[in-house]
Amino acid sequence: MDIEKIKKQREKLLQKANEELKDELIPSVIKDKEESGIEDGVLAILFDELGSNSDEAFGEFFFSPVITDEDEVQYFNCVIVLTQDIDKDKLPLLYEAFAYINFYIPYGAFAIDADHESIVYRYTQALPIRMKDEDLYAQIQIAMGNAISMADTNANIVLSLEDGTMDLEDVRDVFITSGDEE
């Protein structure tokens, strides 16, 4: 495997996604390694209407680094930041609620960042490392769409927990059906 060839492929595909987003008038930019700290760069997107309350969110989409020449799988990461201003008193509630939510959603997970400041949704897709450009591009488009859809579908619940308009019992009511409780 040629790691440099894979790097160029990834950069080209992120650039293509960026151009398509700009054509749709969606604010996006490619951050290079110096700016992002990620080897192949990051596609950063501003979502001005996520969830039914049309909240603003910020997404970063990137590949994990290739570790060895023997790697057969690569990982495409989708991280969507829903808020960057967490009330630290709400952390226990958020952690417990996210345990319920993450159990019931079909893919990805909601989490708190390491600094306890941001609520994020993260989805990682494993893909064969030797995929051709058009196939890999189709798969990263699907991964991005899935991540955006899951974050969008659950943004109101997650943000309502943080702002105090929902509690743990509300989350249980949403995600646990009466049949599961018996």
Side-chain angles (χ1 to χ4, degrees), residues 59-97:
E60 292 189 328
F61 303 87
F62 57 94
F63 288 93
S64 294
V66 176
I67 305 300
T68 70
D69 286 339
E70 291 80 36
D71 287 357
E72 294 292 324
V73 176
Q74 61 185 323
Y75 298 95
F76 184 70
N77 303 282
C78 306
V79 178
I80 300 174
V81 179
L82 298 175
T83 185
Q84 295 179 324
D85 188 24
I86 295 176
D87 176 356
K88 299 217 186 329
D89 293 336
K90 297 269 174 72
L91 287 174
L93 167 69
L94 292 170
Y95 287 134
E96 188 171 355

Side-chain angles (χ1 to χ4, degrees), residues 149-166:
S149 175
M150 190 60 59
D152 185 51
T153 299
N154 294 288
N156 294 345
I157 294 168
V158 171
L159 295 174
S160 293
L161 285 162
E162 201 282 326
D163 73 14
T165 57
M166 282 185 82

Side-chain angles (χ1 to χ4, degrees), residues 95-129:
Y95 287 134
E96 188 171 355
F98 290 174
Y100 284 112
I101 294 168
N102 291 339
F103 181 81
Y104 285 97
I105 61 175
Y107 51 84
F110 289 92
I112 306 294
D113 74 332
D115 296 326
H116 300 104
E117 294 175 351
S118 299
I119 295 175
V120 300
Y121 172 78
R122 182 177 179 112
Y123 172 65
T124 300
Q125 178 68 49
L127 301 163
I129 204 158

